[in-house]
């Protein structure tokens, strides 16, 4: 495991659930299995813009952030502002705390004992590659496991945006290692957050984390033990981190994604442009 | 006449270079250096927006340089008092032998005193030429060298930053400081036999020592044209300062 064994596997599988349920719901009737993709060769070195600085964002980076690393707050606030989901930045912080402990290169799946995580990404890829646009680095994504700031499973990360823009989804030609880049991870997380808020019953802030773990828990699973456990962990994480989820000045009681500007705008605002060979 | 830091050792001159040089005769130069220094402090301690607002409000060069304060007493809940011993270079990472990612000095509370604020004032006072000159820099050199010797084996483990080929999340040596590529410096660190050295604390401490000597160097250079600097150094116990004053005097 990269960067320490403490990185929580927790809801990495859950991200798969979000991706799986949300990503494929509108593409379930797509065509059958495509022909095997040719070997894409070594992945190019991609260098996205550095983390945004505090001077580049207008939002409050001092109030109700708890122990959120101050050099990540501007990114989290940028996510909120670009996605137009007011109050989401602190929620993203609590999620990142659980998923990666704020280590951008957190990787679940690169250690011998993490076969289950690789199995998850393999299942995610094999079960869904037939109904989604091909991934240039699909096989690598299948073997990758999950990782990044928000603990995304690699295949779902690379398919981010497919339900919205189909074959124009921006990461289809990118290697899975891109999810270590915090701006790319932020893009995928913002899209997931919007989908949860737009398509599921989310009663309060903690329900977002439940949906992050498994959107099925927001439907038939609502109220079961897993649902309760995820909510309890989320509240405990917020308390440990020092973020007051009831501070209405920074986090509305319910988040609202109705002002979502669309996947292309969010990608442009968080990631910018990818190298030509990836587009 | 050459006024420089070599009396303290070539490593100290190199240390000061980490944070750049400035000329007190140039308001633009001075303002730029102090802005960058304070921005670095604010980034590390988490108040960059507040600093930006405050600096925009202040226009005079003199205001940028001024920061004063005195060490105080820490009160315990048992009612006894003890002097605060503040190594300015390590504030707010003081109070124990550990260097946590979040400086514990920022969390000091007292019913009748603001130790964090006072400590901050003391630390900042050494950015002011007057306070800087009151300090015998040999003590600072000793403390810095102790810190450098203790941390050097850990720092030596890190690769140099490979521009254009850096790995995401990897901690590197870069321009005398630590740099984590596309990641948070606040969660990066190096584990050693005496515990974890947080990257943020390391950078902050090195920069504070470097800033002290950068101010010292700029102030020494002002000896040649600012009479008040000679007066400030008149009673110094620092032999390096005395030597510089005498050399300037001989040169007329």
């Amino acid at each position: 495991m990269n960067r320490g064994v403490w990185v929580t596997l927790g809801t990495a599988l859950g991200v798969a659930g979000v991706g799986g349920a949300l990503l494929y719901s509108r593409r379930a009737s797509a065509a059958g299995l495509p022909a095997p993709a040719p070997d894409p060769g070594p992945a190019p070195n991609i260098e996205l813009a550095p983390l945004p600085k505090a001077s580049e964002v207008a939002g409050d980076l001092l109030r109700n952030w708890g122990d959120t690393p101050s050099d990540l707050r501007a990114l989290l606030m940028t996510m909120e502002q670009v996605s137009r989901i007011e109050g989401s930045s602190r929620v993203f912080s609590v999620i990142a705390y659980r998923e990666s402990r704020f280590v951008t290169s957190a990787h679940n799946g690169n250690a011998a004992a993490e076969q289950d995580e690789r199995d998850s990404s393999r299942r995610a890829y094999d079960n869904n590659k037939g109904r989604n646009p091909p991934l240039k680095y699909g096989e690598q994504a299948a073997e990758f496991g999950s990782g990044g700031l928000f603990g995304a499973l690699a295949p779902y990360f690379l398919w981010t945006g497919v339900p919205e823009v189909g074959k124009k989804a921006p990461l289809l030609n990118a290697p899975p290692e891109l999810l270590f880049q915090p701006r790319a991870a932020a893009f995928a997380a913002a899209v997931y957050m919007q989908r949860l808020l737009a398509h599921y019953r989310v009663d309060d802030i903690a329900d977002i984390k439940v949906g992050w773990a498994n959107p099925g828990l927001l439907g038939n699973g609502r109220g079961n033990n897993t649902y309760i456990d995820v909510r309890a962990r989320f509240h405990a994480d917020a308390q440990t981190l020092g973020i007051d989820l009831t501070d209405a000045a920074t986090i509305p009681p319910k988040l609202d994604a109705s002002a979502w500007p669309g996947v292309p705008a969010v990608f442009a605002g968080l990631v910018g442009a990818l190298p030509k060979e990836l587009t | 006449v050459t006024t420089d830091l070599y009396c303290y050792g070539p490593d100290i001159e190199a240390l000061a270079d980490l944070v750049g040089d400035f000329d007190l005769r140039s308001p633009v130069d001075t303002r730029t250096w102090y802005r960058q220094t304070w921005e670095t402090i604010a980034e590390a301690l988490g108040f960059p927006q507040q600093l930006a607002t405050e600096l925009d409000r202040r226009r005079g060069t003199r205001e940028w340089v001024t920061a004063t304060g005195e060490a105080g007493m820490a009160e315990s809940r048992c009612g006894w008092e003890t002097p605060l011993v503040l190594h300015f270079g390590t504030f707010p990472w003081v109070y124990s032998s550990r260097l946590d990612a979040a400086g514990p000095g920022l969390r000091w509370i007292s019913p009748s005193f603001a130790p964090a604020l006072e400590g901050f004032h003391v630390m900042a006072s050494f950015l002011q030429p007057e306070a800087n000159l009151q300090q015998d820099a040999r003590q600072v050199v000793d403390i810095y060298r102790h810190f450098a010797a203790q941390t050097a084996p850990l720092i030596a483990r890190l690769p140099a930053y490979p521009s254009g080929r850096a790995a995401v999340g990897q901690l590197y040596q870069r321009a005398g400081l630590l740099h984590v590529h596309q990641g948070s410096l606040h969660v990066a660190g190096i584990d050693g036999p005496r515990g974890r050295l947080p990257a943020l604390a390391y950078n902050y401490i090195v920069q504070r020592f470097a800033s002290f000597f950068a101010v010292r160097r700029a102030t020494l250079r002002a000896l040649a044209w600012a009479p008040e600097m000679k007066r400030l150094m008149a009673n110094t116990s620092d032999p390096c300062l005395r030597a510089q004053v005498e050399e300037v005097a001989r040169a007329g």
Side-chain angles (χ1 to χ4, degrees):
Chain A
M1 177 178 283
N2 193 358
R3 310 285 289 169
V5 295
W6 48 261
V7 174
T8 309
L9 301 181
T11 56
L13 278 171
V15 173
V18 173
L22 295 173
L23 190 62
Y24 308 113
S25 59
R26 299 201 300 186
R27 302 188 63 81
S29 60
L33 288 173
D39 182 356
N45 184 40
I46 304 168
E47 198 54 60
L48 300 182
L51 287 165
K53 292 186 173 299
S55 58
E56 296 167 14
V57 297
D60 184 344
L61 301 183
L62 191 64
R63 176 171 175 159
N64 197 27
W65 284 95
D67 289 331
T68 303
S70 58
D71 53 1
L72 291 178
R73 294 179 190 180
L75 174 71
L76 298 164
M77 181 56 76
T78 303
M79 294 169 70
E80 172 175 327
Q81 293 177 341
V82 168
S83 67
R84 301 181 192 168
I85 304 174
E86 185 185 349
S88 60
S89 55
R90 278 85 171 176
V91 180
F92 282 126
S93 178
V94 181
I95 293 171
Y97 174 76
R98 163 64 48 181
E99 300 295 347
S100 68
R101 291 294 194 270
F102 300 116
V103 175
T104 57
S105 57
H107 190 179
N108 308 313
N110 61 334
E114 293 169 347
Q115 184 60 47
D116 58 338
E117 200 67 13
R118 292 190 292 277
D119 291 345
S120 294
S121 59
R122 167 57 66 186
R123 272 197 309 274
Y125 182 65
D126 288 346
N127 293 344
N128 297 289
K129 64 183 178 183
R131 48 188 173 183
N132 280 288
L135 298 175
K136 182 173 182 180
Y137 296 92
E139 282 301 319
Q140 289 88 336
E143 294 299 317
F144 188 86
S146 66
L149 201 52
F150 300 98
L153 266 174
Y156 294 132
F157 165 76
L158 296 176
W159 276 318
T160 298
V162 166
E164 293 85 356
V165 295
K167 291 181 179 177
K168 291 185 178 178
L171 304 180
L172 298 177
N173 291 324
E177 290 80 6
L178 188 67
L179 62 72
F180 293 144
Q181 302 236 3
R183 284 177 174 273
F187 161 68
V191 173
Y192 285 140
M193 170 87 78
Q194 180 270 335
R195 285 184 197 157
L196 283 171
L197 295 172
H199 300 295
Y200 287 82
R201 177 186 152 194
V202 176
D203 288 348
D204 58 12
I205 301 298
D207 265 4
I208 294 171
K209 189 61 178 71
V210 172
W212 207 277
N214 181 349
L217 295 171
L218 295 173
N220 293 337
R222 183 175 290 273
N224 70 18
N225 287 342
T226 306
Y227 173 91
I228 293 168
D229 289 347
V230 173
R231 287 177 62 89
R233 271 200 305 273
F234 179 72
H235 284 296
D237 286 344
Q239 189 168 12
T240 302
L241 194 55
I243 289 179
D244 179 3
L245 298 173
T246 66
D247 178 28
T250 54
I251 308 173
K254 289 185 70 170
L255 301 193
D256 177 9
S258 60
W260 174 255
V263 165
V266 172
F267 185 78
L270 284 169
V271 180
L274 288 176
K276 198 179 297 180
E277 61 266 31
L278 298 184
T279 59
Chain B
V1 177
T2 303
T3 46
D4 56 36
L5 299 171
Y6 271 95
C7 177
Y8 301 114
D11 57 330
I12 301 303
E13 186 81 33
L15 172 66
D17 288 341
L18 291 180
V19 293
D21 198 3
F22 65 102
D23 187 339
L24 281 168
R25 281 177 298 189
S26 165
V28 173
D29 211 17
T30 303
R31 186 184 173 103
T32 300
W33 189 88
Y34 276 92
R35 174 181 273 276
Q36 289 173 345
T37 298
W38 276 105
E39 284 175 345
T40 303
I41 293 171
E43 287 282 349
L45 302 184
F47 61 96
Q49 289 179 320
Q50 290 71 20
L51 176 75
T53 302
E54 183 66 17
L55 294 188
D56 286 344
R57 202 172 57 78
R58 296 186 178 202
R59 299 293 178 192
T61 301
R62 184 68 192 171
E63 282 185 290
W64 288 69
V65 182
T66 301
T68 58
E70 295 178 354
M73 304 290 285
E75 297 176 19
S76 82
R77 295 191 176 186
C78 303
W80 47 262
E81 292 185 348
T82 183
L84 288 173
V85 180
L86 297 171
H87 289 168
F88 77 91
T90 57
F91 181 84
W93 284 273
V94 290
Y95 220 41
S96 75
S97 60
R98 288 187 56 193
L99 291 173
D100 291 322
L106 292 178
R107 299 180 179 183
W108 284 349
I109 54 171
S110 166
S112 58
F113 183 60
L117 187 60
E118 291 301 316
F120 197 80
H121 281 165
V122 173
M123 180 277 291
S125 71
F126 288 96
L127 296 175
Q128 178 192 6
E130 290 86 342
N132 186 289
L133 289 174
Q134 300 306 307
Q135 173 66 44
D136 185 338
R138 292 174 302 173
Q139 294 175 321
V140 184
V141 169
D142 286 345
I143 297 168
Y144 165 70
R145 285 185 178 144
H146 177 74
F147 175 77
Q150 296 298 316
T151 53
L154 299 180
I155 304 302
R157 291 188 207 161
L158 300 176
Y161 180 75
S163 188
R165 293 178 293 108
V168 175
Q170 170 71 47
L171 191 59
Y172 292 103
Q173 296 185 58
R174 188 181 190 185
L177 299 171
L178 302 183
H179 171 77
V180 58
H181 185 60
Q182 293 281 12
S184 172
L185 202 62
H186 291 241
V187 296
I190 319 167
D191 294 316
R194 299 177 65 178
R196 185 170 176 82
L197 174 66
L200 179 73
Y202 176 83
N203 280 2
Y204 181 89
I205 291 168
V206 169
Q207 287 167 324
R208 295 290 67 71
F209 283 119
S211 296
F212 173 87
F213 286 106
V215 172
R216 175 64 59 101
R217 180 166 59 189
T219 309
L220 284 174
R221 196 179 292 132
L223 270 174
W225 54 268
E228 66 266 31
M229 293 299 174
K230 293 177 191 170
R231 284 196 296 275
L232 287 169
M233 298 181 201
N235 299 315
T236 182
S237 60
D238 185 330
C240 289
L241 278 186
R242 281 205 307 272
Q244 298 272 9
V245 172
E246 289 164 6
E247 187 176 347
V248 170
R250 276 198 300 274

